[in-house]
Amino acid sequence: MKRTPLEKAIEELEEIFLTWDDEALYGFILEVVEKPLLEKLLERTGGDQEKVAKILHVDQQTIQAKIEEIKGLQDRTQNTEPR
């Protein structure tokens, strides 16, 4: 079975990911994957979290929690960046 470009990219990154601690990896995934995905879907749906939840096959509470989690990550990043 032919692998998709995304599957190939993930496979190539696997070794790098294995060297990261769990918190760093999770933060990276939130920032690079989940945040842009949620932003695009919220834009596409006019901010309708219920529609986003249906598209992703999760409940609306999960979408709300992810949005809050991303906001928290952004707040922590902004508070630790040099000025």
Side-chain angles (χ1 to χ4, degrees):
M1 183 173 178
K2 188 175 179 183
R3 294 185 339 235
T4 66
L6 179 58
E7 289 170 324
K8 290 177 186 176
I10 290 171
E11 191 174 288
E12 290 174 12
L13 290 171
E14 188 176 27
E15 288 300 316
I16 295 169
F17 289 166
L18 291 175
T19 65
W20 291 9
D21 65 57
D22 293 342
E23 189 173 331
L25 178 58
Y26 188 68
F28 174 80
I29 296 298
L30 277 178
E31 186 66 29
V32 175
V33 178
E34 287 187 348
K35 181 181 177 226
L37 175 63
L38 286 175
E39 287 173 345
K40 281 292 180 199
L41 290 174
L42 286 165
E43 181 182 308
R44 241 190 202 169
T45 62
D48 189 329
Q49 292 180 8
E50 186 175 353
K51 285 182 182 177
V52 172
K54 285 180 182 178
I55 291 167
L56 296 176
H57 301 278
V58 298
D59 61 44
Q60 189 173 351
Q61 289 177 325
T62 300
I63 297 302
Q64 292 168 340
K66 286 294 180 188
I67 290 169
E68 290 303 313
E69 196 170 15
I70 289 167
K71 285 180 186 176
L73 177 68
Q74 288 173 327
D75 291 344
R76 286 193 307 274
T77 302
Q78 289 173 353
N79 290 335
T80 59
E81 289 179 354
R83 294 177 189 238

